[in-house]
Amino acid sequence: MNIATPILTPIKLTAAETALVDAFTRQVGELPGDGMVLVARDNALDGIKTEGLPTRRVESWHYTDLRALLRAIPADTNAPFIEQRPGLVSNAFVLPVLNGKPDVKTSIDGVTIGSFRDRLMSDDHAHIEPRGSDDAIGRINTSFVRDGLVIDIADGTTLERPLELQLSQSAGQSHMRFAVSFGAQTKGTVIERHSSLSDDASLVSSVSDVVVGDGADILWIIFQAQGPVDTHLAQMNFKLGANAKLTLYVINTGGKLVRQEVHGVTVGEGSDFQMRGINLLGGDTHTDVTFTLGHDVPNTTSTEIIRNVIFDRARGVFQGQIRVAPDAQKTDARMACNTLLMSDDADFSAKPELEIFADDVQCGHGATVIDINATHLYYLMARGIPENKARGLLINAFVAEIVEELDDEQLVEALEDVISAWLDKHA
Amino acid sequence: MPAVQETIDQVRQIDVDQYKYGFETIIEMDKAPKGLSEEIIRFISAKKNEPEWMLEWRLDAYQRWLTMEEPTWARVDYPKIDFNDLYYYAAPKNQTGPMSIDDVDPELLRTYEKLGIPLREQEMLAGVQKSKIAVDAVFDSVSVVTTFKEELKKAGVIFMSISEAIREYPELIKQYLGTVVPTTDNFYATMNAAVFTDGSFVYVPKGVRCPMELSTYFRINEKGTGQFERTLIIAEEGAYVSYLEGCTAPQRDENQLHAAVVELIALDDAEIKYSTVQNWYPGDKDGKGGIYNFVTKRGDCRGKNSKISWTQVETGSAITWKYPSCILRGDNSRGEFYSIAVSNGYQQIDSGTKMIHLGKNTSSRIVAKGIAAGFSQNTYRGQVSAHRRATNTRNFTQCDSLLIGDKCGAHTVPYIEAKNSTAQFEHEATTSKISEDQLFYCLQRGIPEEAAIALIVNGFVKEVIQELPMEFAVEAQKLIGISLEGSVG
């Protein structure tokens, strides 16, 4: 062969990669867990050390060059003390995880709550392995995960009040993991709320593993409003049982560098997955929502609707992949991603993928990138509404539509307030 | 649904063995030794009687190629190719370039007759065919004959093999070759730049509407060869040309490589319409043999108000890796891509387009239809991007896939990138099987199942077929029939 084969040279680590490797060396003695947990941690860090963080060349990171974007890592020192805040909705049952440390309360009927730290200490085989070699969030989380929550909701339980996982950060780093299991026929709402309570930079990695049991009907809201200098790396992995229904809202209004991944599979027939996304992006930020869904069994349905509004120099990314397995006949999957690009310095990239191996299916996706409709604007302005206000109204309508699908009035109101407040500040 | 079950069975039974062009022409060939090296490139260049600068261009590309790696991102799976186990030059003995039809080996003429490609001008005129089509026939590494050259010349249109053009119009070649697909573009394009053997050259001068359809017919014949053609089409200000490309190959157990580069350049107000019916040998029903088709096709709408339109019907090849693209550089320019990709047997198609919006008020339209049957994998991969300064760009993309059978796969991978707030991009994709409602509607009206499915499939691809020139549309429709024979009547 005449073709020159590339010589494998060890990569030169970036400042952020070096900081991660050094932090691991410092922390490894006190990280919870031994046995397979420690092996998983070593392997994950070794991945970062030998391959580095992913670049554009890694297909699943095509639009988020983590290696270039993650420039520095905040120190892993103790963050200033913070207090629990009121819930997003007043009747929520709040489970605070402040600077990565959970306050474990167990006073809800049918719900068992424990700390993930205990699981790491007691179970050699706690599942913390990354999803694969391109799972940078997994690699970081697996290496450093210290705590989080283990929540089990017993079969047949109906949660009367929303459960709020209040994940607040004041500075430094938190690496958390949540194992949540909804038993058969359970019903309820979970609010996963990420916020920052200081101006200092923080790095958060948060991984949730959610199992939705047969016949359960769950609403899960991820509301991320971290600070303008924060890095937020989050991943949700879920499994849907037979006739189970999961409605997932992903709302991003903060963070400097954000990657929210959602990876799901249907494991029982008759299951339904609904996803709604709202990304309000401004400033000089980068927000990536990456979603994969495997329809692995017959007769399952899914719909995803993602709305993005992008101002200033912000960059938005949506990657959505729907896979239909060879035997998953009668799958019905629909995905839509609509974007309002409000500035010429902003940009948006989308990659909505379909990967279909079964023939008796209905699958579709749509993606649009547009400016505000001139006719709509004219209509409002002709009625004496000033241009900036008219624009605000139209943008609001574009995203509020998604929120209004919710049944819970309190929740709708709370989220509408979040949207209005954000738009007042940025539009 | 019984009809679809039947279709599945029939597709399975008949499969890709329907290939009609799998015969071999026994003719004495003149070949370069196997392998790829500087000597081989010098050999090709000398055979083509090329000027020194061309040889240097090739050698430079070869040096770059040595440092490159094969791309692996496409959704296709094949064993590693040994690039040194191929013949890079094979031509019928005594045929180093196009010659008068009377001097061409009669065996070759018979081949083209069998393929239904008319090479004799008078025959074409005498026949029922009303419109004239000029043909450049490329057999392995060499152009055999180019018809209607003189008549085209009267209109100012240059139509000849690229080897001749390099000798006769070196200035035009130097000015345009490699300006759309640079030699560094990608692994296969760089390889092509080093070893390309023949292809067509079209130059339509300012304000001229090319008086007839131009076409090139590519035939791979010799065992163990790769075909590396290079086509360059230039439409000067206000010019118009419609160009067709067809290709076939004999049935063999081994895989053969075809790595082409096509460059289109449209200046102000010019329009180029490029149509392909790709029917390379797809391999047998067990996935043995077939052509590896790794092609780089790109059009540059260099002038304002220019237009480039790609239409492709892809039914052949074991593996297709092909993304005819448009760079919309000129303001108000327009790019179009219409595609039907039919895969059967163990074929793998990864094809689509790129629409790169750089100029203001540029627009593009993509309509891609994929039909997958048998054990095939059919992927649409496309990119639409708007540059920061490209205001008021517009794109509409529609890609639909139809699956026949449950052992095949259809995939859609679009990349949508907007960097300008005035961009309007719309993308939609669907995958489905033949609708029961539509089928029921037809059956109810007494149309037999087979015919009903044919109707529905034809309706599905009609949008694309319509974009093909008349003579081709008929052939394309027939091809789709062959590829899905048993499922469509």
Side-chain angles (χ1 to χ4, degrees), chain A residues 2 59 63 341 344-345 347-361 363-369, chain B residues 36 66 75 82 388 403 405 409-412 414-419 421 423-425 427-433:
Chain A
N2 259 341
E59 186 59 30
Y63 291 116
L341 211 46
D344 283 348
D345 295 323
D347 74 45
F348 178 73
S349 304
K351 190 172 60 159
E353 281 177 72
L354 290 175
E355 202 167 291
I356 317 280
F357 292 97
D359 63 337
D360 188 5
V361 300
C363 290
H365 64 228
T368 60
V369 179
Chain B
L36 179 48
L66 288 177
R75 204 193 164 82
D82 182 354
R388 222 168 268 301
L403 286 155
H411 318 290
T412 317
Y415 296 74
I416 302 154
E417 301 163 9
K419 289 186 162 47
S421 68
Q424 280 205 41
F425 287 175
H427 172 100
E428 60 181 73
T430 61
T431 303
S432 62
K433 74 169 185 182

Side-chain angles (χ1 to χ4, degrees), chain B residues 180-193:
Chain B
V180 185
V181 179
T183 47
T184 50
D185 195 75
N186 69 67
F187 185 81
Y188 294 108
T190 307
M191 178 171 168
N192 176 287

Side-chain angles (χ1 to χ4, degrees), chain A residues 24 27-45 120 123-126 128-129 142-143:
Chain A
F24 188 77
Q27 293 177 27
V28 68
E30 36 157 333
L31 287 170
D34 323 293
M36 294 314 286
V37 167
L38 198 57
V39 171
R41 287 189 194 279
D42 279 338
N43 288 340
L45 191 89
L120 287 171
D123 182 0
D124 260 8
H125 296 275
I128 58 166
E129 289 80 14
T142 301
S143 304

Side-chain angles (χ1 to χ4, degrees), chain A residues 208-332:
Chain A
S208 320
D209 300 301
V210 179
V211 178
V212 184
D214 295 352
D217 183 358
I218 303 302
L219 169 64
W220 185 294
I221 292 171
I222 299 174
F223 170 37
Q224 182 277 120
Q226 284 199 228
V229 288
D230 293 350
T231 300
H232 180 81
L233 302 173
Q235 184 180 83
M236 179 193 222
N237 304 300
F238 70 82
K239 282 187 185 137
L240 275 185
N243 300 312
K245 179 175 182 178
L246 174 64
T247 305
L248 175 68
Y249 271 69
V250 176
I251 300 166
N252 282 302
T253 65
K256 160 96 178 153
L257 169 59
V258 176
R259 164 105 160 178
Q260 171 73 55
E261 295 181 4
V262 175
H263 303 288
V265 282
T266 62
V267 294
E269 289 199 32
S271 56
D272 176 46
F273 174 69
Q274 297 290 321
M275 177 166 159
R276 301 291 180 268
I278 296 176
N279 295 304
L280 302 175
L281 315 179
D284 195 0
T285 62
H286 182 104
T287 304
D288 174 338
V289 174
T290 291
F291 160 74
T292 65
L293 176 63
H295 283 273
D296 284 5
V297 293
N299 295 310
T300 59
T301 53
S302 69
T303 307
E304 297 81 32
I305 302 174
I306 312 295
R307 295 272 162 94
N308 308 294
V309 184
I310 310 179
F311 288 91
D312 310 329
R313 289 171 311 285
R315 273 160 298 159
V317 177
F318 173 70
Q319 303 188 103
Q321 184 193 59
I322 292 176
R323 299 183 310 271
V324 179
D327 301 321
Q329 302 294 2
K330 306 279 178 204
T331 293
D332 190 322

Side-chain angles (χ1 to χ4, degrees), chain B residues 198-259:
Chain B
D198 228 324
S200 302
F201 174 75
V202 178
Y203 175 82
V204 189
K206 188 170 168 180
V208 171
R209 192 180 166 87
C210 186
M212 62 183 91
E213 302 273 346
L214 305 183
S215 80
T216 305
Y217 195 87
F218 295 98
R219 173 80 178 167
I220 297 181
N221 185 63
E222 190 59 20
K223 198 174 173 204
T225 55
Q227 191 178 51
F228 307 93
E229 92 247 10
R230 186 135 194 145
T231 293
L232 176 61
I233 300 178
I234 302 146
E236 284 271 12
E237 224 177 292
Y240 169 85
V241 61
S242 167
Y243 177 90
L244 328 169
E245 177 202 87
C247 32
T248 57
Q251 222 155 320
R252 292 187 201 286
D253 284 352
E254 48 166 309
N255 296 108
Q256 282 180 286
L257 181 63
H258 173 252

